[in-house]
Amino acid sequence: MAQQTLLILDFGGQYKELIARRVRECNVYSRIEPGEIPAEKVREIAPVGIILTGGPNSVYREDSPHIDREILKLGIPVLGICYGAQLMAYTLGGTVEPCSVSEYGKTRMTVDPESPLFDELEPEQIGLMSHTDRITVLPAGFTSVASTADCPNAAMQDPRRGLFAVQFHPEVESTPNGTQILYNFLFRVCGAAGDYNLHDLEKRLIEQVRAQVGDAHVLLALSGGVDSSVCAALLSHALPGRLHCIFVDHGLMRKNEGDEVEAAFSGRDLDFIRVNAEDRFLEKLAGVTDPETKRKIIGAEFVRVFEEESAKLPDVRFLAQGTIYPDVIESGGSHAATIKSHHNVGGLPKNMRFSGVVEPLRNLFKDEVRALGRQLGLSRAYVERQPFPGPGLAVRVMGEITREKLEILRDADAIFREEVGRLRVRPDQYFAVLTDTRSVGVVGDFRTYDYTVALRAVRTSDFMTCEYAPLSHTLLGRVSARIVNEVKGAGRVVYDITGKPPATIEWQ
């Protein structure tokens, strides 16, 4: 039986990827398409249900994105969220107007437990609001099933047509029962079967890779990180004897990491090739300080190395990469602003000699990648390694890249990871950054003028948003003392307490 799909129509909402992830957590496969998709295409996809995302626009403006009205007549259940709710109301003849009082943040709501959306929930709920417009007149056939002090139509429904809408965001953690509300829509309204699981995903991804590649050989950009490692494990199952993994040691790895990667993969049933290219990369990066330029240079040089090495291999026509969904989202899309380009998304030259790029993990979230890796036989310790950016320490060294600065960062980062690694409950990601700021210090009777090291530790469930981890002052003090005493060139240590948003997890 074909796997059911929940279709998510994107109207520029910042949380669209979280909607997709929450739906998958409910064991229903989710797929994101542009909000302007025609009804005929939706009919071809035949989703079990549709969710309309939020967005930054006002539906009554002519230049705002709109939906094909016929989609709401297909008989497929639809849930509108925030802008999606207003869009549903506006399209069906309701009225949307600016709020007299805008709502932002956690907001108390009264909901109707008789509504399928709020089944098994108490009448008093908390929902994350983020809107300056509101539905003032409901379309014909709809009733209001939730309200706040300033929003009388915080949710509406027309069960006869399977149309539901909420002004708040059920997909975020700040709405405590949001996942239950999405679950209710999926199973009580859409009648979903819950047939999405990693076992089927593994088989489907293998089939897709084989269909794309045929009998050709594939060259994998193996960084040794979680994403590329899981990609290697998957491709080795899909293409036995035809996978060539090139590990480019660009001199931008963490301490001892090059040797660790080689040890982990050299004994596996694949062609592992290590290329020591530190001099080559550092020469290209000399004098470069802009982070986007660094990423472009590293991405381009990676491909050049792969091309040179693949020329020595039989019938290599495809380049494989461990691109995952957050990489794609942050690199921008039809409605999203580019936050930063990823070397395996936005930095590849257009004149590659490969026939195509194989990215089997492109639509997966980090937690799905880790779970898939465990299913494919990778150890839990390996797949739960700290995330590491493709450009490596080049984007954790602020300003120009030099060997001296890289060595300072490697040693400081190793100390921080060692100390935090001893904790019983650890942050989801933690690492050191070498700033381009130098400050005066005193060591013995001598004046020093050394670099400032910044420490970063965050808690996150999806790597799309995060909060800083409140590490103890005792731990931070111990790490600071070790770094300034053991790492030559490091004279000061600071701790980053910024969340995402407004910051990103990485500094660059």
Side-chain angles (χ1 to χ4, degrees):
M1 183 175 66
Q3 178 179 259
Q4 290 181 332
T5 296
L6 187 287
L7 186 61
I8 298 170
L9 300 188
D10 173 26
F11 294 96
Q14 61 177 319
Y15 299 130
K16 59 181 173 290
E17 62 277 357
L18 293 183
I19 299 173
R21 185 172 175 273
R22 296 288 182 249
V23 170
R24 294 185 191 187
E25 287 176 354
C26 294
N27 300 115
V28 178
Y29 181 70
S30 57
R31 169 176 169 180
I32 298 176
E33 292 287 345
E36 297 84 354
I37 187 173
E40 187 56 39
K41 177 65 174 177
V42 173
R43 188 179 286 107
E44 291 176 7
I45 296 172
V48 67
I50 299 169
I51 292 180
L52 314 180
T53 76
N57 300 283
S58 294
V59 295
Y60 45 77
R61 294 179 59 92
E62 290 185 5
D63 57 350
S64 295
H66 289 276
I67 189 172
D68 183 342
R69 185 186 180 94
E70 294 302 311
I71 291 175
L72 302 177
K73 300 179 180 180
L74 294 175
I76 300 171
V78 181
L79 172 65
I81 295 177
C82 197
Y83 179 86
Q86 297 168 8
L87 181 61
M88 180 185 292
Y90 184 82
T91 303
L92 296 176
T95 303
V96 178
E97 298 176 309
C99 294
S100 55
V101 178
S102 298
E103 291 182 313
Y104 292 100
K106 295 181 179 180
T107 306
R108 292 187 178 277
M109 305 184 298
T110 299
V111 306
D112 180 1
E114 297 300 315
S115 167
L117 288 183
F118 306 119
D119 189 37
E120 298 187 2
L121 296 181
E122 295 296 322
E124 299 302 315
Q125 295 292 322
I126 297 293
L128 180 76
M129 292 286 189
S130 180
H131 65 105
T132 57
D133 294 327
R134 66 178 184 175
I135 302 168
T136 56
V137 178
L138 299 179
F142 281 81
T143 57
S144 178
V145 289
S147 63
T148 71
D150 297 301
C151 185
N153 300 310
M156 66 177 189
Q157 67 177 27
D158 181 351
R160 182 180 60 82
R161 289 186 286 176
L163 302 179
F164 297 79
V166 294
Q167 183 61 66
F168 58 92
H169 289 275
E171 70 272 24
V172 300
E173 293 179 353
S174 296
T175 301
N177 290 313
T179 298
Q180 181 64 46
I181 293 170
L182 291 174
Y183 180 95
N184 286 344
F185 174 70
L186 292 169
F187 292 92
R188 287 169 171 73
V189 176
C190 301
D195 57 1
Y196 175 67
N197 59 69
L198 287 178
H199 180 67
D200 290 342
L201 176 64
E202 177 187 345
K203 292 190 296 183
R204 187 171 64 255
L205 292 178
I206 287 175
E207 290 172 358
Q208 290 174 357
V209 168
R210 289 173 176 169
Q212 178 184 3
V213 170
D215 60 357
H217 285 236
V218 174
L219 180 63
L220 171 65
L222 178 60
S223 69
V226 173
D227 304 333
S228 67
S229 297
V230 173
C231 186
L234 180 71
L235 293 179
S236 66
H237 282 30
L239 310 169
R242 292 186 284 133
L243 175 63
H244 307 271
C245 296
I246 293 183
F247 167 56
V248 178
D249 189 346
H250 47 23
L252 305 169
M253 307 295 290
R254 290 169 288 200
K255 191 169 185 177
N256 301 323
E257 192 160 28
D259 293 339
E260 292 172 358
V261 171
E262 183 170 8
F265 284 93
S266 59
R268 293 179 177 269
D269 186 21
L270 46 80
D271 182 19
F272 182 90
I273 303 167
R274 179 173 180 173
V275 181
N276 294 310
E278 178 179 9
D279 292 343
R280 177 172 175 168
F281 276 83
L282 292 185
E283 181 180 345
K284 291 283 186 180
L285 291 167
V288 177
T289 59
D290 177 68
E292 278 297 285
T293 304
K294 289 179 186 178
R295 290 176 181 274
K296 299 293 185 181
I297 289 173
I298 293 169
E301 201 61 20
F302 257 103
V303 172
R304 295 294 167 251
V305 173
F306 293 145
E307 286 183 324
E308 293 170 10
E309 293 298 324
S310 67
K312 309 170 187 177
L313 300 171
D315 193 26
V316 174
R317 298 201 300 269
F318 289 87
L319 172 66
Q321 297 185 132
T323 307
I324 65 172
Y325 192 61
D327 299 338
V328 178
I329 293 297
E330 289 197 336
S331 293
S334 60
H335 292 286
T338 298
I339 299 170
K340 58 188 177 184
S341 65
H342 290 252
H343 82 281
N344 54 349
V345 177
L348 296 177
K350 296 180 179 180
N351 59 339
M352 293 190 311
R353 77 171 188 83
F354 301 104
S355 300
V357 178
V358 180
E359 296 175 316
L361 311 180
R362 186 181 179 88
N363 293 315
L364 301 186
F365 293 101
K366 178 70 77 172
D367 56 341
E368 292 178 308
V369 172
R370 294 186 193 278
L372 179 61
R374 291 192 292 271
Q375 183 174 308
L376 288 165
L378 295 175
S379 70
R380 175 176 291 273
Y382 196 87
V383 298
E384 306 238 348
R385 295 174 72 206
Q386 286 290 293
F388 194 55
L393 298 182
V395 292
R396 291 183 180 173
V397 170
M398 304 298 103
E400 182 179 6
I401 309 296
T402 67
R403 282 186 171 84
E404 175 197 12
K405 292 168 76 173
L406 287 169
E407 287 306 312
I408 293 171
L409 179 55
R410 283 194 187 97
D411 291 340
D413 180 70
I415 289 171
F416 185 43
R417 288 188 292 116
E418 176 187 338
E419 292 291 346
V420 175
R422 294 193 178 111
L423 297 176
R424 184 175 61 85
V425 179
R426 294 184 290 275
D428 297 294
Q429 187 172 0
Y430 46 95
F431 56 90
V433 171
L434 187 67
T435 75
D436 208 21
T437 299
R438 303 179 77 170
S439 60
V440 175
V442 178
V443 177
D445 295 326
F446 298 94
R447 173 187 182 276
T448 60
Y449 190 57
D450 291 327
Y451 288 101
T452 299
V453 173
L455 306 178
R456 181 81 159 137
V458 301
R459 291 175 171 174
T460 178
S461 60
D462 49 42
F463 292 87
M464 300 302 300
T465 61
C466 79
E467 296 179 352
Y468 81 90
L471 300 180
S472 72
H473 288 283
T474 300
L475 172 61
L476 291 174
R478 184 166 63 249
V479 172
S480 176
R482 285 195 59 189
I483 289 175
V484 296
N485 285 312
E486 298 176 26
V487 182
K488 183 179 179 180
R492 192 177 297 265
V493 178
V494 298
Y495 187 52
D496 181 356
I497 60 169
T498 318
K500 175 186 180 181
T504 54
I505 294 179
E506 296 286 345
W507 274 39
Q508 293 187 340

